[in-house]
Amino acid sequence: MPMKKYVVCGLSGRALNMFIEPLTGEHRRGHRIAALLDDDPLREAVCKKRFPELRSVPFFKADAFHEMIEKVNPDTVIVAGRDDTHVRYILGALELNKDVVTEKPMVTTVRDAKAVLAAEAESRGSVTVTFNYRYNPYHRKIKEMILEGKLGRITSVDLNWYIDTYHGASYFKRWNRMRKYSGGLSVHKSTHHFDLVNWWLDQMPQEVFAYGGLYYYGPDGEMNPEKGEKRYCGTCHVKQKCRYFVRWQAGDPEDDHIQANEHQHLLYTNYRPDACIFDEEIDIEDTYAAVLKYDGGALLNYSVHFSAPYEGYRLAINGTKGRLETKEYHAPGRIPFEIPEQTIEYFPLFESKETIRVVRQPGGHGGGDPLLLRELFSGKDPLREYDILAGAEAGAYSIAAGEGMWRSIKEKRPIGIEELLHSRQYS
């Protein structure tokens, strides 16, 4: 079996945990990381300290991407840096006919999504987007129930997602808080949710209408202990008056995001991931409510809330033959009450209710991450009759839904998804 070579563009925490760790560990057989790339040389030191086996692997700055590809000639380019950097490496790889595996969201704007689709159409390379939520065992079971026809033709979906005050606040401490880097949380976070619904339904979103705003964070946040100059949690003089800091100052060792503490800035050059959640530079929303219409006739009622007392979601799917409901609680260590077992409740229109208990699996994102990695590095499960791995088109439609939600809030009108993807106005 020939050795497959990878280069990793963007040495984020996600890159280290989701791709480099398995490629130097469980999936190292037949795979080799041949080069690393990042704008920040300190990230090279952090990466190689954690993974000593990579000490001899060459490191390149972002402007040396083409030089890296020429010298290393990898089979696949892994893209896992800050969201706004994805497009430059995806387009660069496709131009050189290389396959791409990119962290989600694929890119941050519809304009960039269209550029990726056009580049892929002209390239011998292809794009894979790592939507790990699809691999969660509950989400796969829902897909299977729909494919089996248990719900009939899907008519509507209700999806309400809750991000708790620890996880939600983390987005407003870091680079995600600025739209130019993340596309806003309607792209950085909601695209995961939209992709999941798109995949379940096997339909594409057609139109979106939304409301939203910045209600909890930013300088006008009700819990802001003091308006004034820029602050950081590690050195803040009013942090003991900040309800968010006091509640979560110990952090969560199980959380897969950058911990907001005073030592994290030592891992980056000129960047701190503990900026104040009440800063004036925050220009994104923390609350969304939207309705989406699909090309197959289904409707989605969607909301997401980034300052909730607990983390999880509530889901209901209605069809011409029945309805299913489920409720999931994430991060149980942060929930101060007893959590019920997650089940899927199936209500046929004219028969008795069924309660479905899904076999749980270990690993991140409800057991989804290990299955995604297995498919990426070992191939599709031959016993599974449907596809899960996502491509560039799925990435583009999820971004169009997310950007469409933000534009609807901004323009106070419904936004056509095809209008976004094909109009010159958004090129």
Side-chain angles (χ1 to χ4, degrees), residues 146-209:
I146 292 173
L147 288 173
E148 290 166 11
K150 284 185 169 290
L151 298 177
R153 178 174 56 84
I154 304 302
T155 57
S156 66
V157 179
D158 299 303
L159 178 59
N160 310 112
W161 214 285
Y162 313 105
I163 315 295
D164 70 13
T165 53
Y166 176 77
H167 187 179
S170 75
Y171 293 114
F172 293 85
K173 296 173 183 287
R174 299 177 284 149
W175 54 264
N176 313 76
R177 64 207 245 134
M178 300 181 71
R179 197 176 307 278
K180 67 180 180 179
Y181 297 138
S182 68
L185 293 174
S186 68
V187 171
H188 178 80
K189 189 65 176 176
S190 294
T191 49
H192 308 347
H193 309 154
F194 292 138
D195 174 74
L196 194 56
V197 176
N198 299 349
W199 176 65
W200 279 331
L201 301 182
D202 196 21
Q203 298 181 30
M204 293 301 187
Q206 194 173 51
E207 187 176 78
V208 56
F209 182 74

Side-chain angles (χ1 to χ4, degrees), residues 51 71 87 95 216 239 298 301 315 338 384 405 427:
F51 302 102
K71 286 186 175 180
V87 65
E95 179 187 354
Y216 295 90
K239 62 186 177 184
N301 294 300
L315 169 73
E338 186 175 348
R384 195 182 68 234
M405 184 163 70
S427 297

Side-chain angles (χ1 to χ4, degrees), residues 53 60 90 107-108 122 137 143 146 154 163 208-209 239 255 286 314 325-326 357 359 373 380 391 397 424:
E53 58 269 50
F60 296 83
I90 295 173
V107 291
T108 58
E122 298 294 323
K143 177 69 172 179
I146 292 173
I154 304 302
I163 315 295
V208 56
F209 182 74
K239 62 186 177 184
D255 191 83
D286 58 28
R314 297 169 186 258
E325 299 175 0
T326 190
R357 289 177 169 81
V359 176
L373 292 170
K380 179 182 174 180
Y397 271 94
R424 291 185 179 180

